[in-house]
């Protein structure tokens, strides 16, 4: 293996001696906990408005098909994540998968995009939480002092509610995972109750006439604030303009809806905290995504069946507005409470995943190693405080709502590498045990790459420009810091272990002695001693050539002292 920036991390070093990573985190998750973790991040406040927004402006009642199509694309990506999580069950998720499959520089690129995704997601969702929390206070007429009211529910600038929720959750995570897990269970259960109430109440006002025509006739799209890459390509090739409704409208609504399902991939970052992760992480990932698809499709069916898409206001296409149109305005308050609960769980899971990615990159040396320090709670508290502090600063300084599509492009970029890593590892390491295997892997992975690429083409040119700037800055950071501080570079720079001294070669003209047959005694050697059988309970014989851990873990026995420095 060449010691260059394309050096790969061996699977055995990525996972350590046991499944769960080189520096074992405390095991807290079971399969049902992973499902709750996925639902906690996938089901946010968008469930209460995304179906109405896309039905009113893009797809009509056929938005239900858009939800199913977006779910199918995400399911393809989830299959790739499931296989790689069963092979490499570590906290780094797509970052670690890329490190093993493609090399260090590509792992850095993917990890840098994950940091962008998660850091922005925490900031954006905290700001959205503040808006809904302020609305809930207004709904229930809670008195707020005027000096505080100026700093509550603001889209930009200082906001005390966004600051408070981030600080509270960061401190919760820095002091242990069990308390945060119980909190997550409570919030997910409460928001599922709210969503069930919304679906049941909406179906009480269901009218089949609102579903006709199911696929409205296509028409030119109104002028948008920015063109997507796909619009620019089609315009230059065909000279046509974008359309809404019709079959193209169903397809055009899919990328925006796929954003709602993003989050199943974050379950992979909990692998080191999951018992029997190679089997339970794939199950938790796939089960949570399937449940989310059913829930989103159910809400969309209730929405378009309750109010005709023609009557929906594109400026306020929320479920609360729809219930007000059918005379059930009191549901709006319940929806606001559900949105606050949903967004709280989203912020919590995003912060968990962000800290695990930062922790993984830090212990590999690509980020400062002290950040990977483990606290007495067996959680990466320093990574939690560093990542949480960055999210707090970003939420208070930047206009994060203008950058929210950066979350999508960062996630989809990681999806591409994960889908490509499955066939790459099957070629380079066919010997690895795979508790979960992607069915029809070459075809499935090719379809995944094509589908994810198509979703990325539906993002705006401005989003692509911001993303390229972020990635260019990340490469500079890697070249100046990570490439030289990498733990893999230090490992490969170690001198090879010294073996026994070889005898000098014979003088010219003297034939080389033939090697003795395998197992034959050396001339003049004492007769071999019969080895005594080892009892079945005896400890295994240590391998003196085993490479010691990079840092932090116990060193293997070294009777010969070959690895002492």
């Amino acid at each position: 293996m060449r010691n260059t920036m394309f050096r790969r991390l061996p699977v055995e070093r990525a996972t350590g001696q046991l499944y769960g990573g080189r520096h074992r985190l405390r095991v807290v998750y079971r399969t049902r906990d992973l499902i709750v973790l996925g639902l906690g991040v996938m089901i946010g406040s968008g469930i209460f408005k995304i179906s109405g927004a896309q039905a009113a402006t893009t797809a009509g009642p056929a938005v239900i098909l858009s939800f199913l199509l977006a779910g199918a694309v995400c399911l393809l990506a989830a299959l790739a994540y499931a296989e790689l999580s069963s092979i490499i069950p570590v906290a780094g998720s797509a970052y670690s998968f890329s490190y093993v499959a493609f090399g260090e520089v590509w792992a850095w690129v993917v990890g840098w995009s994950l940091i962008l995704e998660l850091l922005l997601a925490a900031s954006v969702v905290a700001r959205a939480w503040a808006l809904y929390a302020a609305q809930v206070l207004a709904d229930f007429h809670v008195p707020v002092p005027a000096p505080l009211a100026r700093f509550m529910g603001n889209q930009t600038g200082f906001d005390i509610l966004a600051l408070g929720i981030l600080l509270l959750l960061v401190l919760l995570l820095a002091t242990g995972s069990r308390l945060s897990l119980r909190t997550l269970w409570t919030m997910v259960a409460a928001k599922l109750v709210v969503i069930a109430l919304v679906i049941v109440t909406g179906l009480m006002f269901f009218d089949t006439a609102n579903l006709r025509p199911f696929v409205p006739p296509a028409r030119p799209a109104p002028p948008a604030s920015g063109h997507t890459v796909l619009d620019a390509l089609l315009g230059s090739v065909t000279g046509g303009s974008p359309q809404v409704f019709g079959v193209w409208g169903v397809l055009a609504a899919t990328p925006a809806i796929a954003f709602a399902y993003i989050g199943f991939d974050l379950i992979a970052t909990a692998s080191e905290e999951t018992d029997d992760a190679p089997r339970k992480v794939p199950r938790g990932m796939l089960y949570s995504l399937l449940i989310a698809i059913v829930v989103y499709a159910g809400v969309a069916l209730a929405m378009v069946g309750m109010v005709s898409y023609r009557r929906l206001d594109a400026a306020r296409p929320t479920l609360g507005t729809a219930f007000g149109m059918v005379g059930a305005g009191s549901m709006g308050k319940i929806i606001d409470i559900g949105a606050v609960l949903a967004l709280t769980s989203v912020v919590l899971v995003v912060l968990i995943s962000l800290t695990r990615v930062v922790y993984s990159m830090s212990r590999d040396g690509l980020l400062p190693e002290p950040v990977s320090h483990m606290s007495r709670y067996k959680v990466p508290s320093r990574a939690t405080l560093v990542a949480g502090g960055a999210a707090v600063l970003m939420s208070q300084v930047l206009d994060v709502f203008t950058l929210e599509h950066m979350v999508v492009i960062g996630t989809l970029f990681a999806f591409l590498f994960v889908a490509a890593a499955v066939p790459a590892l099957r070629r380079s390491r066919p010997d690895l045990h795979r508790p979960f295997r992607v069915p029809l892997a070459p075809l499935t992975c090719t379809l995944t790459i094509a589908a994810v690429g198509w979703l990325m083409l539906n993002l705006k040119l401005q989003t692509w420009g911001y993303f390229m700037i972020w990635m260019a800055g990340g490469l500079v950071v890697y070249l100046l810091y990570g490439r030289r501080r990498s733990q893999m570079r230090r490992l490969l720079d170690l001198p090879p272990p010294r073996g026994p001294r070889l005898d000098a070669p014979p003088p010219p003209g003297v034939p080389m002695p033939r090697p003795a047959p395998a197992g034959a005694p050396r001339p003049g050697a004492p007769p071999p001693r019969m080895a005594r059988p080892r009892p079945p309970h005896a400890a295994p014989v240590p391998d003196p050539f085993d490479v010691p851990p990079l840092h932090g873990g116990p060193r293997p026995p070294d009777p010969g002292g070959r690895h002492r420095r």
Side-chain angles (χ1 to χ4, degrees):
M1 184 188 301
R2 294 179 302 168
N3 196 358
T4 69
M5 62 182 182
F6 296 100
R7 48 191 169 243
R8 298 182 188 180
L9 181 68
V11 176
E12 294 78 11
R13 179 157 290 277
T15 58
Q17 297 297 322
L18 298 173
Y19 280 121
R22 289 155 281 171
H23 303 279
R24 184 84 177 185
L25 299 171
R26 185 171 61 181
V27 175
V28 295
Y29 297 117
R30 298 158 294 180
T31 301
R32 57 179 177 268
D33 299 322
L34 296 175
I35 294 174
V36 170
L37 198 70
L39 295 178
V41 68
M42 281 187 282
I43 300 179
S45 66
I47 195 171
F48 300 117
K49 66 177 183 180
I50 190 170
S51 57
Q54 297 303 314
T57 62
T58 311
V63 71
I64 300 172
L65 298 180
S66 301
F67 273 95
L68 298 178
L69 184 59
V73 174
C74 291
L75 187 59
L76 288 174
L79 292 174
Y81 268 92
E83 175 167 326
L84 295 178
S85 296
S86 71
I87 304 171
I88 315 167
V90 293
S93 183
Y95 155 75
S96 297
F97 304 158
S98 302
Y99 209 158
V100 172
F102 302 117
E104 186 175 278
V105 66
W106 298 113
W108 169 266
V109 166
V110 173
W112 193 247
S113 70
L114 288 177
I115 291 176
L116 169 69
E117 168 204 348
L118 298 172
L119 193 58
L120 261 178
S123 305
V124 171
V125 178
R127 275 289 184 175
W129 183 92
L131 294 175
Y132 275 101
Q135 183 60 47
V136 169
L137 294 177
D139 289 341
F140 292 93
H141 307 289
V142 177
V144 178
L148 283 180
R150 295 192 302 113
F151 302 108
M152 296 172 61
N154 300 320
Q155 290 198 8
T156 58
F158 177 72
D159 189 279
I160 194 171
L161 293 177
L163 176 66
I165 189 62
L166 283 174
L167 290 178
L168 176 64
L169 295 180
V170 167
L171 292 176
L172 184 67
L173 292 176
T175 54
S177 298
R178 295 192 186 277
L179 180 59
S180 61
L181 181 58
R182 289 193 291 267
T183 304
L184 182 63
W185 265 93
T186 303
M187 289 186 295
V188 171
K191 73 179 178 181
L192 288 178
V193 170
V194 172
I195 292 171
L197 182 61
V198 166
I199 294 176
V200 171
T201 306
L203 292 178
M204 293 174 59
F205 298 96
F206 191 87
D207 185 357
T208 56
N210 294 327
L211 301 181
R212 294 193 293 266
F214 188 70
V215 181
R219 62 172 183 257
S225 58
H227 289 289
T228 66
V229 176
L230 187 60
D231 292 339
L233 291 176
L234 291 178
S236 62
V237 174
T238 64
S241 59
Q243 291 185 331
V244 293
F245 301 108
V247 175
W248 183 255
V250 175
L251 297 176
T254 303
I257 292 173
F259 172 65
Y261 295 130
I262 287 175
F264 67 86
D265 55 306
L266 303 187
I267 297 176
T269 62
S271 294
E272 293 189 27
E273 297 159 273
T274 303
D275 184 34
D276 192 16
R279 290 173 176 81
K280 292 183 179 179
V281 169
R283 293 175 193 166
M285 196 178 302
L286 296 175
Y287 292 164
S288 62
L289 178 58
L290 291 173
I291 293 172
I293 293 172
V294 172
V295 170
Y296 270 99
V299 172
L301 179 63
M303 180 73 176
V304 297
M306 182 170 51
V307 178
S308 172
Y309 76 97
R310 301 181 187 88
R311 297 175 57 199
L312 290 173
D313 183 6
R316 291 179 55 85
T318 62
L319 270 169
T321 303
F323 276 113
M325 295 172 66
V326 296
S330 59
M331 286 295 297
K333 297 180 179 180
I334 298 177
I335 290 173
D336 288 340
I337 295 175
V340 170
L341 293 172
L343 290 175
T344 307
S345 67
V346 172
V347 177
L348 179 61
V349 178
V350 166
L351 286 175
I352 292 174
S353 302
L354 174 61
T355 57
R356 272 49 178 180
V357 171
V358 171
Y359 163 73
S360 296
M361 297 178 71
S362 173
R363 72 179 176 188
D364 287 334
L366 302 185
L367 292 176
E369 289 183 43
V371 176
S372 63
H373 173 75
M374 298 285 291
S375 71
R376 62 188 180 93
Y377 303 106
K378 293 186 178 181
V379 294
S381 296
R382 289 186 183 177
T384 302
L385 295 175
V386 169
V392 169
L393 181 64
M394 181 176 287
S395 69
Q396 300 299 311
V397 173
L398 299 180
D399 182 7
V400 291
F401 286 116
T402 62
L403 303 173
E404 60 181 340
H405 284 94
M406 299 279 284
V407 177
V408 184
I409 195 170
T411 306
L412 296 179
F413 186 75
F415 284 5
L416 286 178
F417 275 84
V418 171
V422 171
L425 277 179
R426 288 199 180 185
R427 287 193 303 268
S428 62
R429 294 297 304 271
D431 58 304
L432 294 175
H433 176 55
R434 292 168 168 82
F436 181 89
R437 296 178 67 90
V438 176
L440 303 174
L443 176 61
T444 304
C445 295
T446 302
L447 288 176
T448 304
I449 293 172
V452 172
W454 176 72
L455 292 178
M456 295 182 74
L457 291 178
N458 279 273
L459 297 173
K460 295 180 180 180
L461 291 168
Q462 184 184 34
T463 302
W464 275 92
Y466 288 150
F467 182 68
M468 297 305 294
I469 294 173
W470 173 264
M471 299 308 293
L475 282 176
V476 172
V477 174
Y478 171 75
L479 293 174
L480 294 179
Y481 182 88
R483 183 174 63 91
R484 293 184 291 180
R485 300 296 186 95
S486 165
Q487 287 283 352
M488 276 301 296
R489 176 176 180 173
R490 299 179 193 177
L491 174 67
L492 294 177
D493 282 343
L494 289 176
R498 296 192 302 270
R501 187 180 63 84
L502 299 177
D503 293 332
V510 178
M512 290 285 292
R514 293 185 178 181
R522 292 183 290 105
R529 298 175 58 186
M530 298 296 293
R532 292 185 301 170
R534 298 173 65 250
H537 61 274
V541 178
D543 180 8
F545 294 98
D546 186 23
V547 180
L550 291 178
H551 62 84
R555 297 177 63 88
D558 189 10
R562 280 187 278 270
H563 300 301
R564 294 175 186 168
R565 292 184 288 173

